[in-house]
Amino acid sequence: MAEGFARALAAAVKAPSPHNTQPWRFEVRGSRIDVLLDPERVLPVSDPGARQARLACGAAAFNLVITLRAEGRRVSVRFLPGPRRLVSVDVPGRREPTEAERALAAAVHARHTNRRPFDDRPVPERARSALVAAAREDGAELHLLDRGARYDAVAALVRRAERLQETDERYLGEAGRWTGRPRGESSGVPATAAGPPASPAPALALREFAGSREMPAREYEQQPLLGVVTTRQPGQDTQAGFAVERVLLTATAHGLSASFLSQPFEVPGTRADLATLFRDEGEPHTLLRLGFGFTTPGLPRRPADEVTTVIEEPGRAEGLPG
Ligand SMILES: Cc1cc2nc3c(=O)[nH]c(=O)nc-3n(C[C@H](O)[C@H](O)[C@H](O)COP(=O)(O)O)c2cc1C
């Protein structure tokens, strides 16, 4: 396999995924890399329809593509209907990378989910418009909310979903199996990645992970900037993930931190209410909390070669064309 492919695959596995499950596989065939969903790594309780897992695969595809482009590869991307094969990335030749591509590719290794308190500094207008433009570039929309009736409605749905999950034994069992893991494991979320408990209670419930309770309580920002990513067409989870990763890397490049608030997507009732709230914009896929925070450490990953199959094509020379 060509060296550029190995770097792109190493970037792909840096993508975010629910509880760091890394629900992806990659297949390399000549100048083509396909991204596949790994059904064994879909969370059956919180993500029975694999929507969040497909979103994660879309994010991995974005990292793959941006790294290849930043290294001067011409790349074409096709989203596939699935259910397993989700994206096909073809690398037919070369072209000059842009500065923007280089900046986003550099952000891949610096982006980490930040569950800790942010400060109350508002996100500047320049960064906001860059985030909104980033989502649009890949055919999605980012709706930024920092106050008003819709903000309050979204925050209330997060709190409601959180309350329902707190008493759901199946959900708690699943979350317990994937979080609070000892250091050194290549999947799941270690206790060190949790945020401290919030005191006083902020406007939004930030999910407590195993590990939270061992830390002293801290004050969180009172009203974080929220971002909801939607697509016009329903069922475009993978495309949404591709756009979400561009948004997250753009945020990183602007010195911003982000975390996910997925509770309302994981409870059928609140998912439906969220869909109603954004009915005029399309289908909502994810909810982000954005702001300025201190840097957080990255989490481990399974190495790319553990999740990649190289399929030799008879009679074809190894390596990349061009
Ligand atoms: C679709 C999706 C949903 C997620 N939901 C949450 C969430 O509700 N709460 C949270 O703290 N992290 C959430 N995450 C973040 C993951 O836990 C994180 O990406 C993973 O542990 C890897 O860590 P990293 O993002 O720092 O590389 C989500 C990630 C994805 C892709």
Side-chain angles (χ1 to χ4, degrees):
M1 186 172 57
E3 199 203 335
F5 275 25
R7 276 195 297 276
L9 289 161
V13 302
K14 293 281 176 188
S17 61
H19 292 334
N20 201 19
T21 44
Q22 306 162 49
W24 42 63
R25 304 251 353 148
F26 303 93
E27 252 180 43
V28 180
R29 213 184 249 102
S31 66
R32 192 174 122 196
I33 307 177
D34 285 0
V35 182
L36 290 86
L37 177 74
D38 180 351
E40 305 269 302
R41 288 197 162 233
V42 175
L43 297 169
V45 180
S46 55
D47 190 23
R51 293 187 178 102
Q52 299 195 52
R54 284 193 292 274
L55 192 145
C57 289
F62 185 79
N63 283 0
L64 185 78
V65 166
I66 200 68
T67 304
L68 290 165
R69 286 190 175 142
E71 293 199 359
R73 305 287 176 189
R74 191 148 55 81
V75 179
S76 73
V77 183
R78 264 186 317 133
F79 291 98
L80 308 171
R84 282 210 61 206
R85 200 170 294 270
L86 298 178
V87 189
S88 192
V89 175
D90 206 14
V91 189
R94 292 185 170 275
R95 65 159 205 19
E96 266 306 298
T98 65
E99 264 318 303
E101 286 163 351
R102 287 213 181 95
L104 289 182
V108 165
H109 299 272
R111 182 215 61 80
H112 308 302
T113 299
N114 188 344
R115 301 177 183 83
R116 299 191 175 141
F118 296 168
D119 62 32
D120 279 314
R121 209 168 2 138
V123 175
E125 199 41 58
R126 213 168 68 87
R128 288 177 191 235
S129 27
L131 297 173
V132 169
R136 259 187 211 146
E137 200 156 327
D138 296 311
E141 291 285 336
L142 174 72
H143 310 277
L144 291 174
L145 309 170
D146 53 7
R147 67 178 80 81
R150 218 189 211 186
Y151 187 101
D152 295 343
V154 170
L157 287 176
V158 175
R159 287 195 296 268
R160 198 169 102 213
E162 177 101 355
R163 272 200 307 278
L164 291 167
Q165 288 182 326
E166 271 167 13
T167 53
D168 180 338
E169 289 303 326
R170 287 182 66 232
Y171 168 78
L172 293 174
E174 181 176 270
R177 280 190 292 282
W178 285 96
T179 64
R181 292 203 167 190
R183 259 178 190 283
E185 290 208 12
S186 61
S187 304
V189 184
T192 46
S199 173
L204 265 169
L206 299 168
R207 188 178 348 231
E208 277 193 9
F209 275 5
S212 293
R213 287 188 199 112
E214 284 95 75
M215 301 181 210
R218 284 271 314 272
E219 197 173 326
Y220 279 70
E221 72 280 12
Q222 277 308 295
Q223 191 123 327
L225 176 65
L226 297 180
V228 178
V229 175
T230 59
T231 54
R232 274 273 146 223
Q233 304 299 322
Q236 294 192 317
D237 308 301
T238 316
Q239 288 92 326
F242 198 83
V244 166
E245 185 65 352
R246 191 192 285 274
V247 169
L248 292 173
L249 297 180
T250 304
T252 304
H254 279 79
L256 290 167
S257 288
S259 63
F260 291 79
L261 292 161
S262 302
Q263 300 93 320
F265 292 94
E266 296 170 353
V267 174
T270 50
R271 166 179 279 279
D273 287 351
L274 202 57
T276 308
L277 212 53
F278 286 88
R279 169 178 59 210
D280 295 338
E281 284 92 353
E283 184 180 17
H285 292 274
T286 203
L287 172 60
L288 301 172
R289 159 188 174 247
L290 297 151
F292 291 100
F294 291 107
T295 49
T296 40
L299 297 195
R301 295 291 196 273
R302 293 182 293 166
D305 57 7
E306 217 177 273
V307 289
T308 303
T309 310
V310 180
I311 297 165
E312 305 293 347
E313 295 189 319
R316 196 189 161 111
E318 262 276 300
L320 273 174

mmCIF file of all heavy atoms in Angstrom, residues 53-87:
data_model
loop_
_atom_site.group_PDB
_atom_site.id
_atom_site.type_symbol
_atom_site.label_atom_id
_atom_site.label_comp_id
_atom_site.label_asym_id
_atom_site.label_seq_id
_atom_site.Cartn_x
_atom_site.Cartn_y
_atom_site.Cartn_z
ATOM 1 N N ALA A 53 -23.192 5.747 14.456
ATOM 2 C CA ALA A 53 -22.034 4.991 13.939
ATOM 3 C C ALA A 53 -21.754 5.405 12.492
ATOM 4 O O ALA A 53 -20.604 5.573 12.091
ATOM 5 C CB ALA A 53 -22.308 3.493 14.044
ATOM 6 N N ARG A 54 -22.815 5.578 11.695
ATOM 7 C CA ARG A 54 -22.596 6.027 10.301
ATOM 8 C C ARG A 54 -22.017 7.440 10.290
ATOM 9 O O ARG A 54 -21.175 7.772 9.462
ATOM 10 C CB ARG A 54 -23.913 5.982 9.509
ATOM 11 C CG ARG A 54 -24.310 4.572 9.108
ATOM 12 C CD ARG A 54 -25.420 4.574 8.075
ATOM 13 N NE ARG A 54 -26.673 5.059 8.619
ATOM 14 C CZ ARG A 54 -27.570 4.302 9.254
ATOM 15 N NH1 ARG A 54 -27.352 3.014 9.417
ATOM 16 N NH2 ARG A 54 -28.682 4.831 9.734
ATOM 17 N N LEU A 55 -22.493 8.274 11.224
ATOM 18 C CA LEU A 55 -21.949 9.631 11.319
ATOM 19 C C LEU A 55 -20.434 9.556 11.574
ATOM 20 O O LEU A 55 -19.638 10.261 10.951
ATOM 21 C CB LEU A 55 -22.668 10.388 12.436
ATOM 22 C CG LEU A 55 -22.445 11.892 12.506
ATOM 23 C CD1 LEU A 55 -23.704 12.606 12.976
ATOM 24 C CD2 LEU A 55 -21.279 12.268 13.382
ATOM 25 N N ALA A 56 -20.043 8.669 12.493
ATOM 26 C CA ALA A 56 -18.616 8.514 12.806
ATOM 27 C C ALA A 56 -17.836 8.050 11.565
ATOM 28 O O ALA A 56 -16.723 8.523 11.311
ATOM 29 C CB ALA A 56 -18.444 7.521 13.956
ATOM 30 N N CYS A 57 -18.427 7.142 10.783
ATOM 31 C CA CYS A 57 -17.754 6.672 9.555
ATOM 32 C C CYS A 57 -17.598 7.830 8.557
ATOM 33 O O CYS A 57 -16.580 7.923 7.860
ATOM 34 C CB CYS A 57 -18.544 5.536 8.906
ATOM 35 S SG CYS A 57 -18.448 4.000 9.855
ATOM 36 N N GLY A 58 -18.606 8.698 8.497
ATOM 37 C CA GLY A 58 -18.516 9.876 7.620
ATOM 38 C C GLY A 58 -17.381 10.786 8.069
ATOM 39 O O GLY A 58 -16.630 11.335 7.252
ATOM 40 N N ALA A 59 -17.228 10.932 9.398
ATOM 41 C CA ALA A 59 -16.143 11.768 9.932
ATOM 42 C C ALA A 59 -14.786 11.148 9.595
ATOM 43 O O ALA A 59 -13.839 11.849 9.221
ATOM 44 C CB ALA A 59 -16.309 11.927 11.448
ATOM 45 N N ALA A 60 -14.695 9.815 9.695
ATOM 46 C CA ALA A 60 -13.438 9.132 9.357
ATOM 47 C C ALA A 60 -13.121 9.344 7.867
ATOM 48 O O ALA A 60 -11.968 9.579 7.492
ATOM 49 C CB ALA A 60 -13.557 7.643 9.676
ATOM 50 N N ALA A 61 -14.165 9.286 7.028
ATOM 51 C CA ALA A 61 -13.960 9.499 5.588
ATOM 52 C C ALA A 61 -13.442 10.911 5.334
ATOM 53 O O ALA A 61 -12.567 11.130 4.486
ATOM 54 C CB ALA A 61 -15.268 9.270 4.831
ATOM 55 N N PHE A 62 -13.954 11.884 6.102
ATOM 56 C CA PHE A 62 -13.471 13.258 5.899
ATOM 57 C C PHE A 62 -11.979 13.359 6.218
ATOM 58 O O PHE A 62 -11.209 13.955 5.455
ATOM 59 C CB PHE A 62 -14.259 14.282 6.739
ATOM 60 C CG PHE A 62 -13.808 15.684 6.419
ATOM 61 C CD1 PHE A 62 -14.270 16.320 5.277
ATOM 62 C CD2 PHE A 62 -12.864 16.329 7.203
ATOM 63 C CE1 PHE A 62 -13.806 17.587 4.930
ATOM 64 C CE2 PHE A 62 -12.392 17.590 6.868
ATOM 65 C CZ PHE A 62 -12.868 18.220 5.722
ATOM 66 N N ASN A 63 -11.556 12.771 7.335
ATOM 67 C CA ASN A 63 -10.132 12.819 7.706
ATOM 68 C C ASN A 63 -9.260 12.175 6.628
ATOM 69 O O ASN A 63 -8.171 12.666 6.311
ATOM 70 C CB ASN A 63 -9.903 12.093 9.037
ATOM 71 C CG ASN A 63 -10.329 12.922 10.229
ATOM 72 O OD1 ASN A 63 -10.795 14.048 10.079
ATOM 73 N ND2 ASN A 63 -10.178 12.362 11.419
ATOM 74 N N LEU A 64 -9.762 11.093 6.090
ATOM 75 C CA LEU A 64 -9.051 10.382 5.024
ATOM 76 C C LEU A 64 -8.873 11.302 3.808
ATOM 77 O O LEU A 64 -7.765 11.492 3.288
ATOM 78 C CB LEU A 64 -9.898 9.156 4.655
ATOM 79 C CG LEU A 64 -9.395 8.145 3.675
ATOM 80 C CD1 LEU A 64 -8.384 7.248 4.373
ATOM 81 C CD2 LEU A 64 -10.556 7.264 3.198
ATOM 82 N N VAL A 65 -9.988 11.908 3.407
ATOM 83 C CA VAL A 65 -10.011 12.733 2.200
ATOM 84 C C VAL A 65 -9.156 13.988 2.384
ATOM 85 O O VAL A 65 -8.355 14.342 1.512
ATOM 86 C CB VAL A 65 -11.481 13.094 1.863
ATOM 87 C CG1 VAL A 65 -11.569 14.218 0.849
ATOM 88 C CG2 VAL A 65 -12.213 11.855 1.361
ATOM 89 N N ILE A 66 -9.291 14.652 3.511
ATOM 90 C CA ILE A 66 -8.573 15.920 3.693
ATOM 91 C C ILE A 66 -7.068 15.663 3.764
ATOM 92 O O ILE A 66 -6.265 16.475 3.290
ATOM 93 C CB ILE A 66 -9.104 16.715 4.926
ATOM 94 C CG1 ILE A 66 -8.731 18.195 4.813
ATOM 95 C CG2 ILE A 66 -8.611 16.166 6.248
ATOM 96 C CD1 ILE A 66 -9.410 18.943 3.741
ATOM 97 N N THR A 67 -6.686 14.518 4.321
ATOM 98 C CA THR A 67 -5.254 14.206 4.419
ATOM 99 C C THR A 67 -4.685 13.921 3.029
ATOM 100 O O THR A 67 -3.604 14.396 2.673
ATOM 101 C CB THR A 67 -5.045 13.011 5.377
ATOM 102 O OG1 THR A 67 -5.643 13.350 6.616
ATOM 103 C CG2 THR A 67 -3.584 12.697 5.591
ATOM 104 N N LEU A 68 -5.437 13.170 2.225
ATOM 105 C CA LEU A 68 -4.983 12.896 0.856
ATOM 106 C C LEU A 68 -4.895 14.207 0.062
ATOM 107 O O LEU A 68 -3.910 14.454 -0.640
ATOM 108 C CB LEU A 68 -5.942 11.915 0.165
ATOM 109 C CG LEU A 68 -5.910 10.476 0.700
ATOM 110 C CD1 LEU A 68 -7.133 9.695 0.227
ATOM 111 C CD2 LEU A 68 -4.621 9.771 0.252
ATOM 112 N N ARG A 69 -5.915 15.063 0.190
ATOM 113 C CA ARG A 69 -5.905 16.336 -0.559
ATOM 114 C C ARG A 69 -4.745 17.212 -0.121
ATOM 115 O O ARG A 69 -4.086 17.843 -0.943
ATOM 116 C CB ARG A 69 -7.234 17.078 -0.370
ATOM 117 C CG ARG A 69 -8.350 16.422 -1.161
ATOM 118 C CD ARG A 69 -9.612 17.259 -1.201
ATOM 119 N NE ARG A 69 -10.580 16.617 -2.085
ATOM 120 C CZ ARG A 69 -11.888 16.571 -1.875
ATOM 121 N NH1 ARG A 69 -12.424 17.165 -0.823
ATOM 122 N NH2 ARG A 69 -12.685 15.966 -2.734
ATOM 123 N N ALA A 70 -4.505 17.266 1.191
ATOM 124 C CA ALA A 70 -3.420 18.110 1.705
ATOM 125 C C ALA A 70 -2.061 17.603 1.232
ATOM 126 O O ALA A 70 -1.096 18.351 1.184
ATOM 127 C CB ALA A 70 -3.457 18.142 3.229
ATOM 128 N N GLU A 71 -1.999 16.326 0.858
ATOM 129 C CA GLU A 71 -0.737 15.764 0.361
ATOM 130 C C GLU A 71 -0.665 15.820 -1.162
ATOM 131 O O GLU A 71 0.188 15.191 -1.774
ATOM 132 C CB GLU A 71 -0.574 14.324 0.855
ATOM 133 C CG GLU A 71 -0.380 14.292 2.361
ATOM 134 C CD GLU A 71 0.236 12.993 2.855
ATOM 135 O OE1 GLU A 71 0.510 12.087 2.034
ATOM 136 O OE2 GLU A 71 0.440 12.897 4.073
ATOM 137 N N GLY A 72 -1.589 16.561 -1.771
ATOM 138 C CA GLY A 72 -1.508 16.776 -3.220
ATOM 139 C C GLY A 72 -2.157 15.702 -4.064
ATOM 140 O O GLY A 72 -1.829 15.550 -5.239
ATOM 141 N N ARG A 73 -3.097 14.949 -3.472
ATOM 142 C CA ARG A 73 -3.815 13.931 -4.250
ATOM 143 C C ARG A 73 -5.137 14.496 -4.757
ATOM 144 O O ARG A 73 -5.815 15.229 -4.023
ATOM 145 C CB ARG A 73 -4.134 12.707 -3.379
ATOM 146 C CG ARG A 73 -2.943 12.107 -2.707
ATOM 147 C CD ARG A 73 -2.085 11.366 -3.710
ATOM 148 N NE ARG A 73 -0.880 10.866 -3.071
ATOM 149 C CZ ARG A 73 0.134 10.332 -3.741
ATOM 150 N NH1 ARG A 73 0.096 10.240 -5.042
ATOM 151 N NH2 ARG A 73 1.187 9.899 -3.096
ATOM 152 N N ARG A 74 -5.485 14.147 -5.962
ATOM 153 C CA ARG A 74 -6.825 14.467 -6.469
ATOM 154 C C ARG A 74 -7.742 13.363 -5.955
ATOM 155 O O ARG A 74 -7.415 12.180 -6.068
ATOM 156 C CB ARG A 74 -6.816 14.506 -7.996
ATOM 157 C CG ARG A 74 -8.060 15.086 -8.614
ATOM 158 C CD ARG A 74 -7.728 15.803 -9.918
ATOM 159 N NE ARG A 74 -7.030 14.912 -10.848
ATOM 160 C CZ ARG A 74 -7.628 14.004 -11.623
ATOM 161 N NH1 ARG A 74 -8.945 13.868 -11.590
ATOM 162 N NH2 ARG A 74 -6.927 13.237 -12.433
ATOM 163 N N VAL A 75 -8.860 13.750 -5.379
ATOM 164 C CA VAL A 75 -9.714 12.760 -4.691
ATOM 165 C C VAL A 75 -11.156 12.928 -5.157
ATOM 166 O O VAL A 75 -11.649 14.051 -5.262
ATOM 167 C CB VAL A 75 -9.659 12.991 -3.152
ATOM 168 C CG1 VAL A 75 -10.543 11.990 -2.428
ATOM 169 C CG2 VAL A 75 -8.234 12.892 -2.625
ATOM 170 N N SER A 76 -11.820 11.828 -5.451
ATOM 171 C CA SER A 76 -13.266 11.933 -5.674
ATOM 172 C C SER A 76 -13.985 11.049 -4.637
ATOM 173 O O SER A 76 -13.498 9.966 -4.298
ATOM 174 C CB SER A 76 -13.643 11.565 -7.104
ATOM 175 O OG SER A 76 -13.527 10.192 -7.282
ATOM 176 N N VAL A 77 -15.099 11.555 -4.152
ATOM 177 C CA VAL A 77 -15.795 10.911 -3.039
ATOM 178 C C VAL A 77 -17.202 10.537 -3.486
ATOM 179 O O VAL A 77 -17.918 11.370 -4.045
ATOM 180 C CB VAL A 77 -15.913 11.890 -1.838
ATOM 181 C CG1 VAL A 77 -16.567 11.208 -0.647
ATOM 182 C CG2 VAL A 77 -14.561 12.455 -1.456
ATOM 183 N N ARG A 78 -17.576 9.286 -3.224
ATOM 184 C CA ARG A 78 -18.962 8.849 -3.496
ATOM 185 C C ARG A 78 -19.561 8.306 -2.223
ATOM 186 O O ARG A 78 -18.960 7.445 -1.561
ATOM 187 C CB ARG A 78 -18.959 7.723 -4.538
ATOM 188 C CG ARG A 78 -19.189 8.212 -5.953
ATOM 189 C CD ARG A 78 -19.332 7.080 -6.950
ATOM 190 N NE ARG A 78 -18.361 6.008 -6.761
ATOM 191 C CZ ARG A 78 -18.668 4.720 -6.742
ATOM 192 N NH1 ARG A 78 -19.942 4.333 -6.865
ATOM 193 N NH2 ARG A 78 -17.737 3.803 -6.580
ATOM 194 N N PHE A 79 -20.738 8.816 -1.861
ATOM 195 C CA PHE A 79 -21.452 8.246 -0.713
ATOM 196 C C PHE A 79 -22.323 7.113 -1.229
ATOM 197 O O PHE A 79 -23.014 7.259 -2.242
ATOM 198 C CB PHE A 79 -22.300 9.321 -0.026
ATOM 199 C CG PHE A 79 -21.448 10.347 0.662
ATOM 200 C CD1 PHE A 79 -21.155 11.560 0.065
ATOM 201 C CD2 PHE A 79 -20.898 10.075 1.913
ATOM 202 C CE1 PHE A 79 -20.338 12.488 0.691
ATOM 203 C CE2 PHE A 79 -20.079 10.996 2.553
ATOM 204 C CZ PHE A 79 -19.803 12.196 1.937
ATOM 205 N N LEU A 80 -22.275 5.982 -0.536
ATOM 206 C CA LEU A 80 -22.993 4.779 -0.994
ATOM 207 C C LEU A 80 -24.175 4.506 -0.063
ATOM 208 O O LEU A 80 -24.165 4.928 1.096
ATOM 209 C CB LEU A 80 -22.027 3.588 -1.003
ATOM 210 C CG LEU A 80 -20.709 3.810 -1.765
ATOM 211 C CD1 LEU A 80 -19.743 2.661 -1.530
ATOM 212 C CD2 LEU A 80 -20.968 3.992 -3.254
ATOM 213 N N PRO A 81 -25.173 3.783 -0.559
ATOM 214 C CA PRO A 81 -26.367 3.585 0.266
ATOM 215 C C PRO A 81 -26.170 2.642 1.459
ATOM 216 O O PRO A 81 -27.021 2.548 2.334
ATOM 217 C CB PRO A 81 -27.384 3.007 -0.721
ATOM 218 C CG PRO A 81 -26.598 2.493 -1.873
ATOM 219 C CD PRO A 81 -25.327 3.259 -1.916
ATOM 220 N N GLY A 82 -25.069 1.901 1.514
ATOM 221 C CA GLY A 82 -24.878 0.979 2.632
ATOM 222 C C GLY A 82 -25.611 -0.318 2.394
ATOM 223 O O GLY A 82 -25.865 -0.647 1.231
ATOM 224 N N PRO A 83 -25.987 -1.133 3.387
ATOM 225 C CA PRO A 83 -25.870 -0.772 4.801
ATOM 226 C C PRO A 83 -24.449 -0.838 5.357
ATOM 227 O O PRO A 83 -24.175 -0.212 6.357
ATOM 228 C CB PRO A 83 -26.757 -1.821 5.501
ATOM 229 C CG PRO A 83 -26.748 -3.000 4.585
ATOM 230 C CD PRO A 83 -26.639 -2.444 3.195
ATOM 231 N N ARG A 84 -23.538 -1.573 4.697
ATOM 232 C CA ARG A 84 -22.198 -1.662 5.290
ATOM 233 C C ARG A 84 -21.217 -0.737 4.588
ATOM 234 O O ARG A 84 -20.487 -0.007 5.225
ATOM 235 C CB ARG A 84 -21.682 -3.108 5.220
ATOM 236 C CG ARG A 84 -22.310 -3.986 6.286
ATOM 237 C CD ARG A 84 -21.362 -5.095 6.702
ATOM 238 N NE ARG A 84 -20.122 -4.583 7.272
ATOM 239 C CZ ARG A 84 -18.968 -5.232 7.263
ATOM 240 N NH1 ARG A 84 -18.874 -6.400 6.702
ATOM 241 N NH2 ARG A 84 -17.882 -4.705 7.806
ATOM 242 N N ARG A 85 -21.190 -0.782 3.256
ATOM 243 C CA ARG A 85 -20.222 0.041 2.510
ATOM 244 C C ARG A 85 -20.800 1.452 2.394
ATOM 245 O O ARG A 85 -21.854 1.637 1.790
ATOM 246 C CB ARG A 85 -19.999 -0.595 1.123
ATOM 247 C CG ARG A 85 -18.726 -0.173 0.430
ATOM 248 C CD ARG A 85 -18.483 -1.043 -0.807
ATOM 249 N NE ARG A 85 -18.228 -2.418 -0.440
ATOM 250 C CZ ARG A 85 -17.011 -2.923 -0.179
ATOM 251 N NH1 ARG A 85 -15.945 -2.168 -0.284
ATOM 252 N NH2 ARG A 85 -16.880 -4.183 0.175
ATOM 253 N N LEU A 86 -20.128 2.440 2.999
ATOM 254 C CA LEU A 86 -20.745 3.765 3.133
ATOM 255 C C LEU A 86 -20.113 4.834 2.241
ATOM 256 O O LEU A 86 -20.803 5.748 1.789
ATOM 257 C CB LEU A 86 -20.680 4.229 4.593
ATOM 258 C CG LEU A 86 -21.429 3.349 5.604
ATOM 259 C CD1 LEU A 86 -21.247 3.884 7.011
ATOM 260 C CD2 LEU A 86 -22.919 3.275 5.263
ATOM 261 N N VAL A 87 -18.805 4.745 2.044
ATOM 262 C CA VAL A 87 -18.133 5.782 1.249
ATOM 263 C C VAL A 87 -17.062 5.115 0.397
ATOM 264 O O VAL A 87 -16.374 4.202 0.855
ATOM 265 C CB VAL A 87 -17.435 6.845 2.157
ATOM 266 C CG1 VAL A 87 -16.927 8.026 1.317
ATOM 267 C CG2 VAL A 87 -18.353 7.352 3.251
#
